[in-house]
Amino acid sequence: GVRFFPDEASERTVLHIEDNLVGQRLVERILSRLPGLDVLGASQGSVGIEFARRYRPDMILLDLHLPDLRGEEVLRRLRADGETREIPVVVVSADTTRDVADRLIHEGARAFLTKPIDADVLVTVVDEVTRPG
């Protein structure tokens, strides 16, 4: 299941901010292909921001539709905070409109993935973004 505290032994940590438990589990299952990678789950934007500050993950996977804050607002707060500014954020959304993706990239997202998530694309993006060096 989703572990809420990163494993000290893990080499890389991804924070997944997603309120849908099925979506969280799916991503965790897909990312289990990558050795030494731990997935930290947050089901609300505000908790995700707090976890990002506390655990400094190597990457944040951010869903746009959250119960408390819009994903765009979460991205804005992460980018505005010196503690979290440098953490790469990859946005995940069912919204496939080009201007939404362009706007989020302009606001500092590293990449934009559409739902349903393509497992191979997700693994490739996460591996590239979190690989040391």
Side-chain angles (χ1 to χ4, degrees), residues 2-6 24 39-43 51 55:
V2 175
R3 276 208 302 284
F4 286 91
F5 302 97
Q24 265 191 20
V39 180
L40 188 62
S43 57
F51 278 11
Y55 299 115

Side-chain angles (χ1 to χ4, degrees), residues 70-81:
R70 287 171 45 244
E72 289 97 328
E73 179 60 26
V74 174
L75 177 63
R76 206 166 291 126
R77 291 186 192 185
L78 289 167
R79 292 289 76 105
D81 186 334

Side-chain angles (χ1 to χ4, degrees), residues 19-102:
D19 67 322
N20 179 309
L21 202 56
V22 174
Q24 265 191 20
R25 295 245 162 84
L26 174 66
V27 164
E28 188 181 63
R29 201 161 54 241
I30 292 168
L31 294 183
S32 68
R33 295 184 199 172
L34 291 169
L37 183 95
D38 208 25
V39 180
L40 188 62
S43 57
Q44 292 188 325
S46 55
V47 175
I49 292 166
E50 185 187 315
F51 278 11
R53 289 181 60 104
R54 189 182 310 162
Y55 299 115
R56 305 287 176 86
D58 298 290
M59 184 189 130
I60 297 168
L61 205 51
L62 174 64
D63 188 75
L64 287 187
H65 299 285
L66 298 165
D68 59 335
L69 295 169
R70 287 171 45 244
E72 289 97 328
E73 179 60 26
V74 174
L75 177 63
R76 206 166 291 126
R77 291 186 192 185
L78 289 167
R79 292 289 76 105
D81 186 334
E83 301 279 312
T84 57
R85 183 176 296 132
E86 301 303 318
I87 302 170
V89 176
V90 172
V91 172
V92 180
S93 177
D95 188 337
T96 56
T97 53
R98 185 75 241 160
D99 59 325
V100 170
D102 288 345

